[in-house]
Coordinates of all heavy atoms in Angstrom, one line a residue:
M939 N -42.6 126.5 -132.5 CA -43.3 126.7 -133.7 C -44.8 126.4 -133.4 O -45.1 125.4 -132.5 CB -42.9 125.7 -134.7 CG -43.7 125.7 -135.9 SD -43.1 124.5 -137.2 CE -42.3 125.6 -138.3
K940 N -45.7 127.1 -133.8 CA -47.1 127.0 -133.6 C -47.9 126.4 -134.7 O -47.7 126.7 -135.8 CB -47.6 128.5 -133.3 CG -49.0 128.6 -132.7 CD -49.2 130.0 -132.4 CE -50.4 130.1 -131.4 NZ -50.8 131.5 -131.2
S941 N -48.6 125.3 -134.4 CA -49.3 124.7 -135.5 C -50.7 125.4 -135.7 O -51.3 126.0 -134.8 CB -49.5 123.3 -135.1 OG -50.5 123.1 -133.9
I942 N -51.1 125.4 -136.9 CA -52.4 125.9 -137.3 C -53.3 124.8 -137.7 O -53.0 123.9 -138.5 CB -52.2 126.9 -138.5 CG1 -51.2 128.0 -138.2 CG2 -53.5 127.4 -139.0 CD1 -50.8 128.8 -139.4
A943 N -54.5 124.8 -137.1 CA -55.5 123.8 -137.3 C -56.7 124.4 -137.9 O -57.1 125.5 -137.6 CB -55.9 123.0 -136.1
A944 N -57.3 123.6 -138.8 CA -58.6 124.1 -139.4 C -59.8 124.0 -138.5 O -59.8 123.0 -137.7 CB -58.8 123.4 -140.7
L945 N -60.6 124.9 -138.4 CA -61.8 124.8 -137.6 C -62.9 124.1 -138.2 O -63.9 123.6 -137.4 CB -62.3 126.2 -137.2 CG -61.3 127.2 -136.5 CD1 -61.8 128.6 -136.3 CD2 -60.8 126.5 -135.1
Q946 N -63.0 123.9 -139.5 CA -64.1 123.2 -140.1 C -63.6 121.8 -140.5 O -62.4 121.4 -140.3 CB -64.4 123.8 -141.5 CG -65.2 125.2 -141.4 CD -64.1 126.3 -141.3 OE1 -63.0 126.2 -141.6 NE2 -64.6 127.5 -140.9
N947 N -64.5 121.0 -140.9 CA -64.2 119.6 -141.4 C -63.2 119.7 -142.6 O -63.3 120.6 -143.4 CB -65.4 118.8 -141.8 CG -66.4 118.6 -140.7 OD1 -66.0 118.6 -139.5 ND2 -67.6 118.4 -141.0
L948 N -62.4 118.9 -142.7 CA -61.4 118.8 -143.7 C -62.1 118.6 -145.1 O -61.7 119.1 -146.1 CB -60.3 117.7 -143.5 CG -59.3 118.0 -142.3 CD1 -58.4 116.8 -142.2 CD2 -58.6 119.3 -142.5
V949 N -63.1 117.8 -145.1 CA -63.8 117.5 -146.4 C -65.3 117.9 -146.1 O -65.9 117.5 -145.2 CB -63.7 116.0 -146.7 CG1 -64.5 115.7 -147.9 CG2 -62.3 115.6 -146.8
T950 N -65.7 118.7 -147.0 CA -67.1 119.1 -147.0 C -68.0 117.9 -147.3 O -67.8 117.3 -148.4 CB -67.4 120.3 -148.0 OG1 -66.5 121.3 -147.7 CG2 -68.8 120.8 -147.9
P951 N -68.9 117.6 -146.4 CA -69.8 116.4 -146.7 C -70.7 116.7 -147.8 O -71.1 117.8 -148.2 CB -70.6 116.4 -145.4 CG -70.6 117.6 -144.7 CD -69.3 118.3 -145.2
W952 N -71.0 115.6 -148.7 CA -71.8 115.7 -149.8 C -73.3 115.5 -149.4 O -73.6 114.5 -149.0 CB -71.4 114.6 -150.9 CG -72.0 114.7 -152.1 CD1 -73.1 114.1 -152.5 CD2 -71.7 115.6 -153.2 NE1 -73.5 114.4 -153.9 CE2 -72.6 115.3 -154.2 CE3 -70.7 116.5 -153.4 CZ2 -72.5 116.0 -155.5 CZ3 -70.5 117.1 -154.6 CH2 -71.4 116.9 -155.7
P953 N -74.0 116.6 -149.4 CA -75.5 116.5 -149.0 C -76.2 115.7 -150.0 O -75.9 115.7 -151.2 CB -76.0 117.9 -148.9 CG -75.0 118.7 -149.7 CD -73.7 117.9 -149.8
D954 N -77.2 115.0 -149.5 CA -78.1 114.2 -150.3 C -78.9 115.1 -151.2 O -79.2 116.2 -150.9 CB -79.1 113.3 -149.5 CG -78.3 112.3 -148.7 OD1 -77.2 111.9 -149.0 OD2 -78.9 111.9 -147.6
G955 N -79.2 114.5 -152.4 CA -80.0 115.4 -153.3 C -79.2 116.1 -154.4 O -79.9 116.8 -155.2
L956 N -77.9 116.2 -154.3 CA -77.2 116.9 -155.2 C -76.8 116.2 -156.4 O -76.2 116.8 -157.4 CB -75.9 117.5 -154.5 CG -76.3 118.8 -153.6 CD1 -74.8 119.3 -153.1 CD2 -76.9 119.9 -154.4
E957 N -76.9 114.9 -156.4 CA -76.6 114.1 -157.6 C -77.6 114.3 -158.7 O -78.8 114.5 -158.4 CB -76.4 112.6 -157.1 CG -75.3 112.4 -156.3 CD -74.9 110.9 -156.1 OE1 -75.3 110.1 -156.9 OE2 -74.3 110.6 -155.0
P958 N -77.2 114.1 -159.9 CA -78.2 114.3 -161.0 C -79.2 113.3 -161.0 O -78.9 112.1 -160.7 CB -77.4 114.4 -162.3 CG -76.0 113.7 -161.9 CD -75.9 114.0 -160.4
S959 N -80.4 113.6 -161.4 CA -81.5 112.6 -161.4 C -81.3 111.7 -162.8 O -80.5 112.1 -163.6 CB -82.9 113.3 -161.5 OG -83.0 114.0 -162.7
D960 N -82.1 110.7 -162.9 CA -82.0 109.8 -164.1 C -82.4 110.6 -165.3 O -81.8 110.5 -166.4 CB -82.9 108.6 -163.9 CG -82.3 107.6 -162.8 OD1 -81.1 107.7 -162.6 OD2 -83.1 106.8 -162.4
A961 N -83.4 111.5 -165.2 CA -83.9 112.3 -166.2 C -82.8 113.3 -166.7 O -82.5 113.5 -167.9 CB -85.1 113.1 -165.9
E962 N -82.0 113.9 -165.7 CA -80.9 114.8 -166.1 C -79.8 114.1 -166.8 O -79.2 114.6 -167.7 CB -80.4 115.5 -164.9 CG -81.4 116.5 -164.3 CD -81.0 117.1 -162.9 OE1 -80.3 116.3 -162.1 OE2 -81.4 118.2 -162.6
L963 N -79.5 112.9 -166.3 CA -78.4 112.1 -166.9 C -78.8 111.7 -168.3 O -78.0 111.6 -169.2 CB -78.1 110.8 -166.1 CG -77.4 111.1 -164.8 CD1 -77.3 109.8 -164.0 CD2 -76.0 111.7 -165.0
E964 N -80.1 111.4 -168.5 CA -80.5 111.0 -169.8 C -80.5 112.2 -170.8 O -80.1 112.0 -172.0 CB -82.0 110.5 -169.7 CG -82.6 109.9 -171.1 CD -83.9 109.3 -170.8 OE1 -84.1 108.6 -169.9 OE2 -84.8 109.6 -171.6
A965 N -80.8 113.4 -170.3 CA -80.7 114.5 -171.2 C -79.3 114.9 -171.5 O -79.0 115.2 -172.7 CB -81.3 115.8 -170.4
I966 N -78.4 114.7 -170.6 CA -76.9 114.9 -170.8 C -76.5 113.9 -172.0 O -75.8 114.2 -172.9 CB -76.1 114.8 -169.7 CG1 -76.4 115.9 -168.7 CG2 -74.7 114.7 -170.0 CD1 -75.8 115.8 -167.3
E967 N -76.9 112.6 -171.8 CA -76.5 111.6 -172.8 C -77.1 111.9 -174.1 O -76.4 111.7 -175.2 CB -77.0 110.2 -172.3 CG -76.6 109.1 -173.2 CD -75.1 108.8 -173.0 OE1 -74.5 109.1 -172.1 OE2 -74.6 108.3 -174.1
W968 N -78.3 112.4 -174.2 CA -79.0 112.8 -175.4 C -78.3 113.9 -176.1 O -78.2 114.0 -177.3 CB -80.4 113.1 -175.2 CG -81.3 113.3 -176.4 CD1 -81.7 112.4 -177.3 CD2 -81.7 114.7 -176.9 NE1 -82.4 113.1 -178.3 CE2 -82.3 114.5 -178.0 CE3 -81.5 116.0 -176.4 CZ2 -83.0 115.6 -178.8 CZ3 -82.1 117.0 -177.1 CH2 -82.8 116.7 -178.3
E969 N -77.8 114.9 -175.3 CA -77.1 116.1 -175.9 C -75.5 115.8 -176.1 O -74.9 116.7 -176.6 CB -77.2 117.2 -174.9 CG -78.6 117.8 -174.9 CD -78.7 119.0 -173.9 OE1 -77.7 119.3 -173.2 OE2 -79.8 119.6 -173.9
M970 N -75.0 114.6 -175.8 CA -73.6 114.4 -175.9 C -73.0 114.6 -177.3 O -71.9 115.1 -177.4 CB -73.3 113.0 -175.4 CG -71.8 112.8 -175.2 SD -70.9 114.0 -174.1 CE -71.6 113.6 -172.5
P971 N -73.7 114.2 -178.3 CA -73.1 114.5 -179.7 C -72.9 116.0 -179.9 O -71.9 116.4 -180.5 CB -74.1 113.9 -180.7 CG -74.9 112.8 -179.9 CD -74.9 113.4 -178.4
L972 N -73.9 116.9 -179.4 CA -73.7 118.3 -179.6 C -72.6 118.8 -178.8 O -71.7 119.6 -179.2 CB -75.0 119.0 -179.2 CG -74.9 120.5 -179.3 CD1 -74.6 121.0 -180.8 CD2 -76.3 121.2 -178.9
I973 N -72.5 118.3 -177.5 CA -71.5 118.7 -176.6 C -70.1 118.4 -177.3 O -69.1 119.2 -177.2 CB -71.5 118.0 -175.2 CG1 -72.8 118.6 -174.6 CG2 -70.3 118.3 -174.4 CD1 -73.2 117.7 -173.3
L974 N -69.9 117.2 -177.8 CA -68.6 116.8 -178.4 C -68.3 117.7 -179.6 O -67.1 118.1 -179.9 CB -68.6 115.4 -178.7 CG -68.7 114.3 -177.6 CD1 -68.9 113.0 -178.0 CD2 -67.5 114.5 -176.7
A975 N -69.3 118.0 -180.4 CA -69.1 118.8 -181.6 C -68.7 120.2 -181.3 O -67.8 120.8 -181.9 CB -70.4 118.9 -182.5
E976 N -69.3 120.7 -180.1 CA -68.9 122.1 -179.7 C -67.5 122.1 -179.1 O -66.7 123.0 -179.3 CB -69.9 122.6 -178.6 CG -71.2 123.0 -179.2 CD -72.2 123.3 -178.2 OE1 -72.2 122.9 -176.9 OE2 -73.3 124.0 -178.4
V977 N -67.1 121.1 -178.5 CA -65.7 120.9 -178.0 C -64.8 120.9 -179.2 O -63.7 121.6 -179.1 CB -65.6 119.7 -177.1 CG1 -64.1 119.3 -176.8 CG2 -66.3 119.9 -175.8
D978 N -65.1 120.1 -180.2 CA -64.2 120.1 -181.4 C -64.0 121.5 -182.0 O -63.0 121.9 -182.4 CB -64.8 119.2 -182.5 CG -64.6 117.7 -182.1 OD1 -63.7 117.4 -181.2 OD2 -65.2 116.8 -182.7
L979 N -65.1 122.2 -182.1 CA -65.1 123.6 -182.7 C -64.2 124.5 -181.7 O -63.4 125.3 -182.2 CB -66.5 124.2 -182.8 CG -66.6 125.6 -183.2 CD1 -65.9 125.8 -184.6 CD2 -68.0 126.1 -183.3
L980 N -64.4 124.4 -180.5 CA -63.7 125.2 -179.5 C -62.2 124.9 -179.6 O -61.3 125.7 -179.6 CB -64.2 124.9 -178.1 CG -63.7 125.9 -177.0 CD1 -63.9 127.3 -177.3 CD2 -64.2 125.5 -175.7
D981 N -61.8 123.6 -179.7 CA -60.5 123.2 -179.9 C -59.9 123.8 -181.2 O -58.7 124.3 -181.1 CB -60.3 121.7 -180.0 CG -60.5 121.0 -178.7 OD1 -60.5 121.7 -177.6 OD2 -60.7 119.7 -178.6
A982 N -60.6 123.8 -182.3 CA -60.0 124.4 -183.5 C -59.9 125.9 -183.4 O -58.9 126.4 -183.9 CB -61.1 124.0 -184.6
E983 N -60.8 126.6 -182.6 CA -60.7 128.0 -182.5 C -59.6 128.3 -181.5 O -58.8 129.3 -181.8 CB -62.0 128.6 -182.0 CG -63.1 128.6 -183.1 CD -64.5 128.9 -182.5 OE1 -64.7 128.9 -181.3 OE2 -65.3 129.3 -183.3
I984 N -59.4 127.6 -180.5 CA -58.2 127.8 -179.5 C -56.9 127.7 -180.2 O -55.9 128.3 -179.9 CB -58.4 126.9 -178.3 CG1 -59.6 127.3 -177.4 CG2 -57.1 126.9 -177.5 CD1 -59.9 126.4 -176.3
A985 N -56.8 126.7 -181.1 CA -55.5 126.4 -181.8 C -55.0 127.6 -182.5 O -53.8 127.8 -182.8 CB -55.7 125.2 -182.7
V986 N -55.8 128.5 -183.0 CA -55.4 129.6 -183.7 C -55.5 131.0 -183.0 O -55.3 132.1 -183.6 CB -56.2 129.8 -185.1 CG1 -56.0 128.5 -185.9 CG2 -57.7 130.0 -184.8
L987 N -55.6 130.9 -181.7 CA -55.7 132.2 -181.0 C -54.5 133.0 -181.0 O -54.5 134.3 -181.0 CB -56.1 131.9 -179.5 CG -57.5 131.6 -179.2 CD1 -57.7 131.3 -177.7 CD2 -58.4 132.7 -179.6
D988 N -53.3 132.4 -180.9 CA -52.0 133.1 -180.8 C -51.2 133.2 -182.2 O -50.1 133.5 -182.2 CB -51.1 132.5 -179.8 CG -50.8 131.0 -180.1 OD1 -51.5 130.4 -181.0 OD2 -49.9 130.5 -179.4
R989 N -51.9 132.8 -183.2 CA -51.3 132.9 -184.5 C -52.2 133.1 -185.7 O -53.5 132.9 -185.4 CB -50.5 131.6 -184.8 CG -51.2 130.3 -184.9 CD -50.3 129.1 -185.0 NE -51.1 127.9 -184.7 CZ -51.8 127.3 -185.6 NH1 -51.9 127.8 -186.8 NH2 -52.5 126.2 -185.3
A990 N -51.8 133.5 -186.8 CA -52.7 133.6 -187.9 C -53.1 132.2 -188.4 O -52.2 131.4 -188.6 CB -52.0 134.4 -189.1
P991 N -54.4 132.1 -188.6 CA -54.8 130.7 -189.1 C -54.3 130.4 -190.5 O -54.4 131.2 -191.5 CB -56.3 130.7 -189.0 CG -56.7 132.2 -188.8 CD -55.5 132.9 -188.5
S992 N -53.8 129.2 -190.7 CA -53.4 128.8 -192.0 C -54.7 128.2 -192.8 O -55.8 128.2 -192.2 CB -52.4 127.6 -191.9 OG -53.0 126.4 -191.4
E993 N -54.6 127.8 -194.0 CA -55.6 127.4 -194.8 C -56.2 126.0 -194.1 O -57.4 125.9 -194.0 CB -55.2 127.0 -196.2 CG -56.4 126.6 -197.1 CD -57.5 127.6 -197.2 OE1 -57.3 128.8 -197.2 OE2 -58.7 127.1 -197.3
L994 N -55.4 125.2 -193.6 CA -55.8 124.0 -193.0 C -56.6 124.3 -191.7 O -57.5 123.7 -191.4 CB -54.6 123.1 -192.7 CG -54.0 122.4 -193.8 CD1 -52.8 121.6 -193.5 CD2 -55.0 121.5 -194.6
D995 N -56.1 125.3 -191.0 CA -56.8 125.8 -189.8 C -58.2 126.3 -190.1 O -59.2 125.9 -189.4 CB -56.1 126.8 -189.0 CG -54.7 126.4 -188.4 OD1 -54.6 125.2 -188.1 OD2 -53.8 127.2 -188.4
G996 N -58.3 127.0 -191.1 CA -59.6 127.5 -191.6 C -60.6 126.4 -192.0 O -61.7 126.4 -191.6
Q997 N -60.1 125.4 -192.7 CA -60.8 124.3 -193.1 C -61.3 123.5 -191.8 O -62.5 123.1 -191.8 CB -60.0 123.3 -193.9 CG -59.8 123.9 -195.3 CD -58.9 122.9 -196.1 OE1 -58.5 121.8 -195.8 NE2 -58.5 123.4 -197.4
R998 N -60.4 123.3 -190.9 CA -60.8 122.6 -189.7 C -61.9 123.4 -188.9 O -62.8 122.7 -188.4 CB -59.5 122.5 -188.8 CG -59.8 121.7 -187.5 CD -58.5 121.6 -186.7 NE -58.8 120.9 -185.3 CZ -58.1 121.2 -184.3 NH1 -57.2 122.0 -184.3 NH2 -58.4 120.6 -183.1
I999 N -61.7 124.7 -188.9 CA -62.7 125.4 -188.1 C -64.1 125.4 -188.9 O -65.2 125.1 -188.2 CB -62.3 126.9 -188.0 CG1 -61.2 127.0 -187.0 CG2 -63.5 127.8 -187.5 CD1 -60.5 128.3 -186.9
R1000 N -64.1 125.5 -190.2 CA -65.4 125.5 -190.9 C -66.0 124.1 -190.8 O -67.2 123.9 -190.7 CB -65.1 125.8 -192.4 CG -64.8 127.2 -192.7 CD -64.8 127.6 -194.1 NE -63.8 126.9 -194.9 CZ -62.5 127.3 -195.0 NH1 -62.1 128.4 -194.4 NH2 -61.6 126.6 -195.7
R1001 N -65.2 123.0 -190.8 CA -65.6 121.7 -190.9 C -66.3 121.4 -189.4 O -67.4 120.8 -189.3 CB -64.5 120.6 -191.0 CG -65.0 119.2 -191.1 CD -63.8 118.3 -191.4 NE -62.9 118.7 -192.4 CZ -61.6 119.0 -192.1 NH1 -61.1 118.8 -190.9 NH2 -60.8 119.3 -193.1
A1002 N -65.6 121.8 -188.4 CA -66.1 121.7 -187.0 C -67.4 122.5 -186.8 O -68.4 122.1 -186.2 CB -65.1 122.2 -186.1
R1003 N -67.5 123.7 -187.4 CA -68.7 124.5 -187.3 C -69.8 123.9 -188.1 O -71.0 123.8 -187.6 CB -68.5 126.0 -188.0 CG -69.7 126.8 -187.6 CD -69.4 128.3 -188.1 NE -68.4 128.9 -187.3 CZ -67.2 129.4 -187.6 NH1 -66.9 129.4 -188.8 NH2 -66.4 130.0 -186.7
R1004 N -69.6 123.4 -189.2 CA -70.6 122.6 -190.0 C -71.1 121.4 -189.3 O -72.3 121.1 -189.2 CB -70.1 122.3 -191.4 CG -70.0 123.4 -192.4 CD -69.9 122.9 -193.8 NE -68.7 122.1 -193.9 CZ -67.5 122.5 -194.3 NH1 -67.3 123.7 -194.5 NH2 -66.6 121.6 -194.4
R1005 N -70.2 120.6 -188.7 CA -70.6 119.5 -187.9 C -71.5 119.8 -186.7 O -72.5 119.2 -186.4 CB -69.4 118.7 -187.5 CG -69.7 117.5 -186.6 CD -68.4 116.6 -186.3 NE -68.8 115.6 -185.3 CZ -68.4 115.6 -184.0 NH1 -67.5 116.5 -183.6 NH2 -68.7 114.6 -183.2
M1006 N -71.1 120.9 -186.0 CA -71.8 121.3 -184.8 C -73.2 121.8 -185.2 O -74.3 121.4 -184.5 CB -71.0 122.5 -184.1 CG -71.6 122.9 -182.8 SD -72.7 124.4 -182.9 CE -71.8 125.5 -183.8
L1007 N -73.4 122.5 -186.3 CA -74.7 123.0 -186.8 C -75.5 121.8 -187.2 O -76.7 121.8 -187.0 CB -74.4 124.1 -187.9 CG -73.9 125.3 -187.4 CD1 -73.7 126.2 -188.7 CD2 -74.9 126.1 -186.5
A1008 N -74.9 120.9 -187.9 CA -75.6 119.7 -188.3 C -76.2 118.9 -187.1 O -77.3 118.4 -187.1 CB -74.8 118.8 -189.2
V1009 N -75.3 118.7 -186.1 CA -75.8 118.0 -184.9 C -76.9 118.8 -184.2 O -77.9 118.2 -183.8 CB -74.6 117.7 -184.0 CG1 -75.0 117.1 -182.7 CG2 -73.6 116.7 -184.7
R1010 N -76.8 120.0 -184.1 CA -77.8 120.8 -183.5 C -79.1 120.7 -184.2 O -80.1 120.6 -183.6 CB -77.3 122.3 -183.4 CG -78.3 123.2 -182.6 CD -77.8 124.6 -182.5 NE -76.6 124.7 -181.7 CZ -75.8 125.7 -181.5 NH1 -76.1 126.8 -182.3 NH2 -74.9 125.7 -180.7
R1011 N -79.0 120.8 -185.5 CA -80.2 120.7 -186.4 C -80.9 119.2 -186.2 O -82.1 119.2 -186.0 CB -79.8 120.8 -187.8 CG -81.0 120.5 -188.8 CD -80.6 120.3 -190.3 NE -79.8 119.1 -190.2 CZ -78.8 118.9 -191.0 NH1 -78.3 119.8 -191.7 NH2 -78.1 117.7 -191.0
D1012 N -80.1 118.2 -186.2 CA -80.7 116.8 -185.9 C -81.3 116.8 -184.6 O -82.4 116.2 -184.5 CB -79.6 115.9 -186.1 CG -79.0 115.7 -187.5 OD1 -79.7 116.2 -188.4 OD2 -77.9 115.2 -187.6
L1013 N -80.7 117.3 -183.5 CA -81.2 117.2 -182.1 C -82.6 118.0 -182.1 O -83.5 117.6 -181.4 CB -80.3 117.7 -181.1 CG -79.1 116.7 -180.8 CD1 -78.1 117.4 -179.8 CD2 -79.5 115.3 -180.4
T1014 N -82.6 119.1 -182.8 CA -83.8 120.0 -182.8 C -84.9 119.2 -183.5 O -86.0 119.3 -183.1 CB -83.5 121.4 -183.5 OG1 -82.4 122.0 -182.7 CG2 -84.8 122.2 -183.4
N1015 N -84.6 118.6 -184.6 CA -85.7 117.9 -185.4 C -86.1 116.7 -184.6 O -87.3 116.4 -184.6 CB -85.1 117.4 -186.7 CG -85.0 118.6 -187.6 OD1 -85.5 119.6 -187.5 ND2 -84.1 118.4 -188.7
Q1016 N -85.2 116.0 -183.8 CA -85.6 114.9 -183.0 C -86.6 115.3 -181.9 O -87.6 114.7 -181.6 CB -84.4 114.2 -182.4 CG -83.6 113.4 -183.3 CD -82.3 112.8 -182.7 OE1 -82.2 112.9 -181.5 NE2 -81.5 112.2 -183.6
A1017 N -86.2 116.5 -181.2 CA -87.0 117.0 -180.1 C -88.3 117.4 -180.7 O -89.4 117.2 -180.0 CB -86.3 118.2 -179.5
A1018 N -88.4 118.0 -181.9 CA -89.7 118.5 -182.4 C -90.6 117.3 -182.8 O -91.7 117.3 -182.6 CB -89.4 119.3 -183.7
A1019 N -89.9 116.2 -183.3 CA -90.7 114.9 -183.6 C -91.2 114.3 -182.3 O -92.4 113.8 -182.3 CB -89.7 114.0 -184.3
V1020 N -90.5 114.3 -181.2 CA -90.9 113.7 -180.0 C -92.1 114.6 -179.5 O -93.1 114.0 -179.1 CB -89.8 113.7 -179.0 CG1 -90.3 113.4 -177.6 CG2 -88.8 112.6 -179.4
V1021 N -92.0 115.9 -179.5 CA -93.1 116.8 -179.0 C -94.3 116.5 -180.0 O -95.4 116.5 -179.4 CB -92.7 118.2 -179.1 CG1 -93.9 119.2 -178.9 CG2 -91.6 118.4 -178.0
G1022 N -94.2 116.4 -181.2 CA -95.3 116.2 -182.2 C -95.9 114.9 -181.9 O -97.2 114.8 -182.0
L1023 N -95.1 113.9 -181.6 CA -95.7 112.5 -181.3 C -96.6 112.5 -180.0 O -97.5 111.7 -179.9 CB -94.7 111.5 -181.3 CG -94.0 111.2 -182.7 CD1 -92.9 110.1 -182.5 CD2 -95.0 110.7 -183.7
T1024 N -96.0 113.2 -179.0 CA -96.7 113.2 -177.7 C -97.8 114.2 -177.5 O -98.4 114.3 -176.5 CB -95.6 113.5 -176.6 OG1 -95.0 114.7 -176.8 CG2 -94.5 112.4 -176.6
G1025 N -98.0 115.0 -178.6 CA -99.1 115.9 -178.6 C -98.8 117.2 -177.8 O -99.7 117.8 -177.3
G1026 N -97.5 117.5 -177.7 CA -97.2 118.8 -177.0 C -97.6 119.9 -177.8 O -97.9 120.0 -178.9
A1027 N -97.6 121.1 -177.1 CA -98.0 122.4 -177.8 C -96.8 122.7 -178.8 O -95.7 122.6 -178.5 CB -98.1 123.5 -176.7
A1028 N -97.3 123.2 -179.9 CA -96.3 123.6 -180.9 C -96.2 125.1 -181.0 O -96.8 126.0 -180.6 CB -96.7 123.1 -182.3

């Protein structure tokens, strides 16, 4: 029996500089409510992919969509307020 050996390193080394910066982590944290709301909407939509949606499914999808839109609106308003306070271009 002949053994086969890999020619490369078994584990690819993690190069420096690929980790997210503090600003990127802060942006992700700031957007987390929207990310979670989008995941809830996606879960509701996936649940009815292989069957006809019931009335409860429809309510769940509408509720998740409204929540996602409300969170998006709030984050947009917060971003606009920050830009307005810092004197950014409008």
Side-chain angles (χ1 to χ4, degrees):
M939 178 178 259
K940 195 174 194 181
S941 65
I942 300 173
L945 298 177
Q946 290 89 14
N947 292 337
L948 292 178
V949 177
T950 304
W952 188 262
D954 293 335
L956 282 183
E957 294 191 21
S959 67
D960 290 340
E962 291 169 330
L963 290 174
E964 188 176 310
I966 292 169
E967 186 67 29
W968 184 75
E969 290 179 353
M970 190 56 68
L972 178 59
I973 293 167
L974 295 174
E976 289 174 340
V977 167
D978 288 343
L979 176 59
L980 189 59
D981 285 344
E983 291 172 339
I984 288 172
V986 297
L987 281 178
D988 60 347
R989 60 183 167 85
S992 68
E993 181 61 33
L994 289 177
D995 292 327
Q997 289 176 4
R998 181 178 175 213
I999 290 170
R1000 287 189 300 273
R1001 188 178 317 117
R1003 186 174 291 124
R1004 283 192 307 265
R1005 179 173 169 249
M1006 188 261 312
L1007 290 172
V1009 170
R1010 185 178 289 169
R1011 179 198 62 219
D1012 294 343
L1013 289 178
T1014 302
N1015 289 341
Q1016 288 175 8
V1020 168
V1021 168
L1023 291 176
T1024 60

